[in-house]
Amino acid sequence: MFEDFEAYITAVTPLSKDELQLMRSLARVKKLRRRQLLLQEGEVCRYKIFVLKGLLRNYRLKDDGTEVILRFAPENSWNFDHESYNNQTPSKNNIDALEDSEVVLWLRDDFEMLLASIPIMKEYSDRIKATSFDAIQERILMNISATSEEKYQAFVTAFPEILRRVPLHMVASYLGVSRETLSRIRHAQVNPTKNNGI
Amino acid sequence: MFEDFEAYITAVTPLSKDELQLMRSLARVKKLRRRQLLLQEGEVCRYKIFVLKGLLRNYRLKDDGTEVILRFAPENSWNFDHESYNNQTPSKNNIDALEDSEVVLWLRDDFEMLLASIPIMKEYSDRIKATSFDAIQERILMNISATSEEKYQAFVTAFPEILRRVPLHMVASYLGVSRETLSRIRHAQVNPTKNNGI
């Protein structure tokens, strides 16, 4: 529950007891069942989300009905829809739970107040933002310049845990590689000598 | 020269004469010849850059010698290497001029001081950051889910000016589409009825 958040946050930034108490007083812990939506396209993203347990997914539903996966957010990560949260406009994306999950939610106004009144929380938040920006730049670089094999290998290295927890077609969607190509790559890695006739 | 920056910035955010004067006192205007490097891989990105005239390009040089284009920055846009500037670490990327260009430079410490002492400049900067983040998210969505035709069409719609100013192989690199595929798409658009034998 909220203690798990306190354990996480105090390990990464030194909040005082009073500051933790202030964060707790405005927080709401929510359980999600697998496949439950936390944000639906067209709704305004009202909350800053911290994942205590489980795994969330941010995705866009295309006109043809396919789901495009923008992000996986496992335990101990922050989540929200950036554009909708910042501008309080209807979200283009969805957020759902891929496993039974538990999250902490803060209303946007409350979270902004927390950032304004707890300077080290603001610093921490800015640091996360900057790191996300760099990561997303690197993802673009991979997207536009790497082979499908390289994309898959980078995912395996960066997110071994997530690979074990989600179906392959979701990894394919996240990487922008077809399911068939990804199956072929995995098959070739499991059976590296097969094509040599050995 | 600097007046062009003043004209731009006062149109987007209401800076006072004193604030403009403060910005000017710390700025340095620099001319770049076509193909001149402004930041080289391995160097620390010391400056926040505003493009007055011309066109800059941010790119990564891969081990095999290919250039991967992360960004085009035409006149009236801001530029820098995000990761290197923020962390003052060696840059993984390069920035060069694709045309004879003119830029305004502020040293990082000076620019941070400007943001700290001019609240509306900080607000404007935060707004640009948020918009960039949203744009980069949409670029990822295109990268992983759009066809090559859709990627090209989105580029044509968003950046018609840049399309006219850079060689096609650079557009291909930015989109992560092969040069051959892009030539085929353009050819099909110019001669849409050719395959019908009309």
Side-chain angles (χ1 to χ4, degrees):
Chain A
M1 294 300 211
F2 199 80
E3 294 70 33
D4 297 330
F5 171 73
E6 291 185 342
Y8 173 81
I9 197 74
T10 50
V12 292
T13 194
L15 292 176
S16 72
K17 280 225 159 103
D18 284 353
E19 288 163 342
L20 282 174
Q21 183 44 42
L22 182 59
M23 290 203 77
R24 181 196 274 256
S25 69
L26 299 168
R28 183 182 146 209
V29 175
K30 187 181 164 90
K31 292 192 180 208
L32 298 166
R33 292 184 316 282
R34 182 166 175 274
R35 282 307 164 101
Q36 193 174 340
L37 277 163
L38 189 54
L39 175 71
Q40 191 163 11
E41 178 191 336
E43 291 173 359
V44 171
C45 180
R46 299 165 63 215
Y47 298 104
K48 185 76 89 168
I49 307 158
F50 182 84
V51 187
L52 287 173
K53 261 198 255 179
L55 179 61
L56 304 189
R57 167 181 72 149
N58 300 41
Y59 68 98
R60 176 85 51 97
L61 200 59
K62 292 191 78 180
D63 291 342
D64 64 4
T66 53
E67 295 169 349
V68 186
I69 298 185
L70 294 165
R71 197 172 161 222
F72 297 109
E75 50 284 324
N76 292 339
S77 61
W78 295 89
N79 199 0
F80 66 136
D81 185 86
H82 187 271
E83 187 174 18
S84 173
Y85 179 90
N86 276 336
N87 305 330
Q88 293 289 285
T89 49
S91 174
K92 299 171 190 159
N93 305 311
N94 303 274
I95 303 178
D96 71 355
L98 293 179
E99 302 171 354
D100 290 345
S101 300
E102 219 170 280
V103 295
V104 191
L105 305 174
W106 289 268
L107 279 168
R108 181 176 179 268
D109 284 353
D110 290 342
F111 200 80
E112 293 305 304
M113 186 279 279
L114 289 170
L115 293 182
S117 46
I118 310 177
I120 55 164
M121 192 64 202
K122 172 82 171 93
E123 273 169 43
Y124 164 73
S125 167
D126 286 348
R127 219 158 56 228
I128 299 224
K129 262 189 215 169
T131 313
S132 306
F133 197 93
D134 294 335
I136 211 172
Q137 280 272 23
E138 289 302 312
R139 186 172 173 198
I140 283 187
L141 193 96
M142 288 295 288
N143 284 340
I144 63 177
S145 74
T147 63
S148 298
E149 282 80 359
E150 288 166 343
K151 287 174 190 169
Y152 176 66
Q153 204 46 57
F155 188 89
V156 172
T157 307
F159 310 113
E161 262 301 304
I162 289 174
L163 190 71
R164 278 191 285 277
R165 288 158 71 178
V166 305
L168 197 63
H169 71 87
M170 289 194 188
V171 178
S173 169
Y174 178 90
L175 295 177
V177 169
S178 79
R179 209 182 294 201
E180 296 69 31
T181 303
L182 201 53
S183 295
R184 191 164 35 72
I185 292 167
R186 279 168 60 100
H187 189 74
Q189 290 189 345
V190 174
N191 305 291
T193 56
K194 210 164 182 186
N195 290 334
N196 295 342
I198 299 173
Chain B
M1 292 303 212
F2 198 81
E3 293 70 30
D4 296 329
F5 172 72
E6 292 184 342
Y8 173 81
I9 198 74
T10 50
V12 291
T13 194
L15 293 175
S16 71
K17 280 224 159 106
D18 284 353
E19 288 163 343
L20 282 174
Q21 182 45 41
L22 183 59
M23 290 203 76
R24 182 196 275 257
S25 70
L26 299 168
R28 183 181 146 211
V29 175
K30 186 179 164 89
K31 291 191 181 211
L32 298 165
R33 290 182 319 281
R34 182 167 176 274
R35 283 305 165 100
Q36 193 175 339
L37 277 163
L38 189 53
L39 174 71
Q40 192 164 9
E41 178 191 337
E43 291 174 358
V44 171
C45 180
R46 299 165 62 214
Y47 298 104
K48 185 75 88 168
I49 306 157
F50 182 84
V51 186
L52 287 173
K53 260 198 258 181
L55 180 62
L56 303 189
R57 169 180 71 150
N58 300 42
Y59 67 98
R60 176 86 52 95
L61 201 58
K62 292 192 79 180
D63 290 343
D64 64 5
T66 52
E67 294 169 349
V68 185
I69 299 186
L70 295 165
R71 194 166 167 230
F72 297 109
E75 51 283 325
N76 291 339
S77 61
W78 294 89
N79 199 0
F80 65 136
D81 184 86
H82 186 270
E83 187 174 18
S84 173
Y85 178 90
N86 277 335
N87 305 331
Q88 294 290 286
T89 48
S91 175
K92 299 171 189 159
N93 304 312
N94 304 274
I95 303 177
D96 72 354
L98 294 180
E99 301 171 354
D100 289 346
S101 299
E102 220 170 279
V103 295
V104 190
L105 306 173
W106 288 269
L107 278 168
R108 181 175 178 269
D109 285 352
D110 289 342
F111 201 80
E112 293 305 303
M113 186 279 279
L114 288 170
L115 293 183
S117 47
I118 310 176
I120 55 164
M121 192 64 202
K122 172 81 171 92
E123 271 169 45
Y124 164 73
S125 167
D126 286 347
R127 219 158 55 228
I128 298 225
K129 262 189 215 170
T131 312
S132 305
F133 197 94
D134 294 335
I136 212 173
Q137 280 271 23
E138 291 301 312
R139 186 172 172 197
I140 282 187
L141 192 97
M142 288 295 287
N143 283 340
I144 63 177
S145 75
T147 63
S148 298
E149 282 82 359
E150 288 166 344
K151 287 174 190 170
Y152 176 67
Q153 205 45 57
F155 188 89
V156 171
T157 307
F159 311 114
E161 262 301 306
I162 289 174
L163 190 71
R164 278 191 285 275
R165 288 159 72 177
V166 305
L168 198 62
H169 72 86
M170 289 193 187
V171 178
S173 168
Y174 177 90
L175 295 177
V177 169
S178 79
R179 209 182 295 202
E180 295 69 30
T181 303
L182 201 52
S183 293
R184 191 164 35 75
I185 292 168
R186 279 167 60 100
H187 190 75
Q189 291 189 345
V190 174
N191 305 292
T193 58
K194 210 165 180 183
N195 290 331
N196 296 340
I198 298 174

